[in-house]
Amino acid sequence: AQSVTQLGSHVSVSEGALVLLRCNYSSSVPPYLFWYVQYPNQGLQLLLKYTSAATLVKGINGFEAEFKKSETSFHLTKPSAHMSDAAEYFCAVSDLPDRGSTLGRLYFGRGTQLTVWP
Amino acid sequence: DGGITQSPKYLFRKEGQNVTLSCEQNLNHDAMYWYRQDPGQGLRLIYYSQIVNDFQKGDIAEGYSVSREKKESFPLTVTSAQKNPTAFYLCASSWRTSGDPIRDEQFFGPGTRLTVL
């Protein structure tokens, strides 16, 4: 099974500062990678995804992530944090489907809670 | 508007009772999923379904049951056998492209928070 590790369960930044949320994956084959955001008591919303096209992926709300195969990483960044970015962020990996199935499962990290200080 | 609806938003259950969480989607997605979310543990897969009348267990299926009689609907029943059911439950769905595995993004509903009294 694939796995995802998110370093740091809580990250705090000041408004206007750089946001860096870390994600490392384990996969024996080229994976698909995703970042989702969750606001309190809501479902998850896709921020961006990597599907082996460009290694630098731009998403919504000014976020971007870079796929680095040598480091097995897919860190999420935003140059300037905004108060509205405060939420929980999840990294996920999708591997190839098991034999006999056409479903590639998503494996989620434990999440990183981002706090933005005024 | 296309999307995924989950009901109810909040649900309270007495110990020993079965409860059913509703999930409906009008996105014409083939695959549907149920996840359980506990603080600090991320999302854990309970059950998933690729097509109507077919579903598979995920990582934590014990104490849960599902059905997939219609493409649009994937209800989850939390049975009395689930020892610690208090959690936030999320339903999701995704496309299935002919000939390709389902690896595309999943779309999530707003969730149901279940509390056992």
Side-chain angles (χ1 to χ4, degrees):
Chain A
Q2 311 307 323
S3 68
V4 167
T5 302
Q6 291 185 240
L7 297 175
S9 59
H10 291 85
V11 171
S12 295
V13 300
S14 298
E15 192 172 21
L18 171 71
V19 175
L20 171 60
L21 305 181
R22 300 178 186 273
C23 173
N24 288 87
Y25 67 91
S26 70
S27 174
S28 57
V29 297
Y32 284 16
L33 291 157
F34 306 80
W35 274 101
Y36 284 87
V37 60
Q38 184 183 35
Y39 298 99
N41 292 311
Q42 295 186 26
L44 277 65
Q45 179 184 4
L46 182 71
L47 277 177
L48 49 81
K49 63 181 178 181
Y50 167 75
T51 58
S52 74
T55 56
L56 182 62
V57 182
K58 294 187 182 297
I60 62 172
N61 301 339
F63 284 93
E64 62 182 37
E66 185 173 9
F67 173 72
K68 292 187 177 180
K69 184 178 179 180
S70 61
E71 299 178 5
T72 61
S73 70
F74 190 57
H75 302 331
L76 182 70
T77 60
K78 182 174 181 178
S80 177
H82 191 272
M83 296 292 288
S84 60
D85 295 326
E88 189 158 23
Y89 293 79
F90 293 94
C91 183
V93 61
S94 171
D95 62 352
L96 290 172
D98 295 331
R99 186 173 304 173
S101 169
T102 60
L103 185 69
R105 281 192 45 180
L106 280 186
Y107 296 86
F108 286 87
R110 291 176 176 254
T112 298
Q113 182 68 48
L114 175 66
T115 300
V116 181
W117 300 102
Chain B
D1 289 336
I4 303 174
T5 58
Q6 290 186 243
S7 61
K9 187 173 179 63
Y10 298 95
L11 185 58
F12 299 90
R13 189 194 93 171
K14 293 182 180 179
E15 284 193 26
Q17 285 183 336
N18 292 355
V19 290
T20 298
L21 283 59
S22 169
C23 178
E24 304 275 337
Q25 55 97 1
N26 61 3
L27 300 169
N28 200 32
H29 287 169
D30 295 287
M32 297 186 74
Y33 315 78
W34 273 106
Y35 293 92
R36 171 178 171 143
Q37 185 178 16
D38 296 282
Q41 296 199 43
L43 276 69
R44 292 182 290 169
L45 184 65
I46 305 173
Y47 269 97
Y48 61 96
S49 168
Q50 299 179 66
I51 56 174
V52 174
N53 293 322
D54 185 57
F55 49 83
Q56 289 80 39
K57 294 182 179 180
D59 298 323
I60 56 166
E62 184 176 353
Y64 300 96
S65 66
V66 294
S67 63
R68 186 88 186 276
E69 297 178 0
K70 297 187 300 181
K71 186 176 184 178
E72 305 79 25
S73 178
F74 191 41
L76 173 74
T77 296
V78 184
T79 74
S80 57
Q82 170 50 234
K83 298 306 180 186
N84 185 22
T86 294
F88 191 51
Y89 290 87
L90 287 162
C91 178
S93 66
S94 66
W95 292 109
R96 175 178 178 170
T97 304
S98 177
D100 290 333
I102 303 173
R103 299 178 65 190
D104 210 337
E105 65 184 274
Q106 292 180 15
F107 293 78
F108 285 80
T112 292
R113 186 165 298 280
L114 173 63
T115 302
V116 173
L117 303 174

